[in-house]
Amino acid sequence: MTTIDDAPPATAAAVQECGATVWLTGLPSAGKTTLALALAERLRAEGHRVEVLDGDEVRAFLSAGLGFTPEDRDTNIQRIGFVAELLASNGVKVLAPVIAPYAASRAAVAARHADRGTTYLEVHVATPVEVCSVRDVKGLYARQAAGEITGLTGVDDPYEAPAAPDLRIEAHIQPVADSAAALHALLTERGLA
């Protein structure tokens, strides 16, 4: 028989069941996915239900067939935003490392969350293009420089940085663990971790 003394504190249970979307936006190779994976590991260790909706992975499956026109990019973002809100509204901490270059697309995702009463936090992983092009995790900057591709966000396609994100992380000047800790601190401050 369980007694009141054996039950976990109500606040711990409430935190674990409280879903939210943490949207990590930034240039290609800014460190969004690395940061999301580090935070996901920490949150899971604390008992949270967590999903990472990586922009590249979602594009390969949910948005297969879309190109990189502004309209296709917006469609991709709205699809990711829909899935994120659905999961978050069901108690999952959703970490969405997605370039999401256009402010209007991100605002639409935030509005969808607000309309449904689901917590949405925007985090700008503010790594400068000069650093991203050196990291060049997927070889995109080299391919763009060689003329193999066009429309690379932040180079020959615009990236509209968030004007007032919930958190701006300069991941290029601190270790991943410190960036993840800053993001965890934001979640704690908002009653989500």
Side-chain angles (χ1 to χ4, degrees):
M1 172 184 241
T2 302
T3 66
I4 291 175
D5 291 333
D6 296 331
T11 54
V15 166
Q16 289 182 6
E17 293 174 12
C18 183
T21 294
V22 179
W23 195 275
L24 296 102
T25 179
L27 295 172
S29 297
K32 301 176 299 297
T33 300
T34 300
L35 176 54
L37 293 173
L39 180 62
E41 182 178 338
R42 180 170 178 177
L43 290 172
R44 286 185 184 117
E46 294 172 354
H48 298 276
R49 293 170 52 210
V50 180
E51 287 296 333
V52 176
L53 295 179
D54 180 71
D56 292 331
E57 290 178 4
V58 173
R59 183 176 267 282
F61 295 100
L62 187 60
S63 294
L66 289 179
F68 291 91
T69 65
E71 296 78 18
D72 283 354
R73 289 176 192 235
D74 181 64
T75 298
N76 183 50
I77 295 311
Q78 298 317 309
R79 289 177 182 176
I80 296 170
F82 172 82
V83 173
E85 193 284 323
L86 183 65
L87 289 168
S89 68
N90 284 284
V92 177
K93 303 286 189 306
V94 179
L95 308 178
V98 182
I99 295 170
Y102 309 129
S105 297
R106 295 190 308 266
V109 170
R112 176 179 190 77
H113 281 71
D115 289 347
R116 287 158 178 78
T118 305
T119 301
Y120 174 89
L121 300 173
E122 185 175 68
V123 176
H124 181 206
V125 182
T127 306
V129 69
E130 298 80 16
V131 175
C132 294
S133 65
V134 170
R135 288 180 178 173
D136 204 9
V137 177
K138 299 170 202 142
L140 297 174
Y141 293 93
R143 291 180 59 209
Q144 190 277 338
E148 296 173 16
I149 61 171
T150 60
L152 180 59
T153 300
V155 178
D156 59 353
D157 199 65
Y159 175 75
E160 299 167 355
D166 293 282
L167 180 64
R168 189 175 319 275
I169 294 178
E170 295 185 348
H172 59 292
I173 60 172
Q174 63 187 12
V176 172
D178 291 352
S179 295
L183 188 44
H184 190 275
L186 172 66
L187 294 177
T188 301
E189 173 188 303
R190 302 291 174 93
L192 299 165

